[in-house]
Amino acid sequence: MIKLAFLVKRVESMTHEQFVEYHREHHAPLFASIPEAGRYVRKYTVSHPVPAPHYPGPEFDGLTEIWFDGWDDHNAFFESANYRNLVQPDEPMFIRRGAGTMLVTEERLVM
């Protein structure tokens, strides 16, 4: 299982609250609506920082995680016309390009 983890920053024209709402209420449903998401994606989550008194303020505005069974499914999803024409063009509406970071992992459940 391959997991992509995207730590993202919001576009400067949005407040954090607007970013969270857009991510949860618009982009995530758009992502989930394309048939390729159901066919190739095993799990998709969006997470956002919450106040944490004993921790420093967050460096990022959100975390998106996408799981695939393998590289073939990953490639089929990201190369699909629905992703390229519907989902990908929506990303710059709320995500600041070049300001985030990405990690590709192989997840192992410990507990």
Side-chain angles (χ1 to χ4, degrees):
M1 179 96 38
I2 296 166
K3 179 170 79 170
L4 306 181
F6 299 92
L7 286 160
V8 297
K9 292 186 179 187
R10 61 187 160 83
V11 294
E12 293 176 359
S13 61
M14 281 187 169
T15 66
H16 179 73
E17 292 76 18
Q18 289 169 327
F19 169 83
V20 170
E21 181 179 346
Y22 193 93
H23 199 183
R24 287 182 181 164
E25 305 301 325
H26 179 78
H27 188 76
L30 175 63
F31 181 104
S33 75
I34 66 171
E36 293 82 1
R39 188 174 308 131
Y40 301 115
V41 176
R42 292 298 144 244
K43 186 175 179 183
Y44 170 70
T45 65
V46 296
S47 304
H48 304 95
V50 296
H54 302 290
Y55 295 92
E59 185 177 340
F60 298 95
D61 295 296
L63 167 66
T64 298
E65 297 172 288
I66 310 170
W67 286 256
F68 298 96
D69 284 336
W71 288 112
D72 289 342
D73 288 350
H74 165 278
N75 296 342
F77 178 78
F78 285 112
E79 293 170 3
S80 73
N82 282 324
Y83 173 76
R84 287 188 329 237
N85 297 325
L86 300 173
V87 178
Q88 188 176 31
D90 188 56
E91 293 169 357
M93 302 301 293
F94 70 108
I95 295 172
R96 191 172 356 144
R97 294 288 187 181
T101 192
M102 176 186 174
L103 183 66
V104 179
T105 68
E106 185 175 79
E107 185 174 72
R108 301 283 179 175
L109 182 60
V110 176
M111 291 180 62

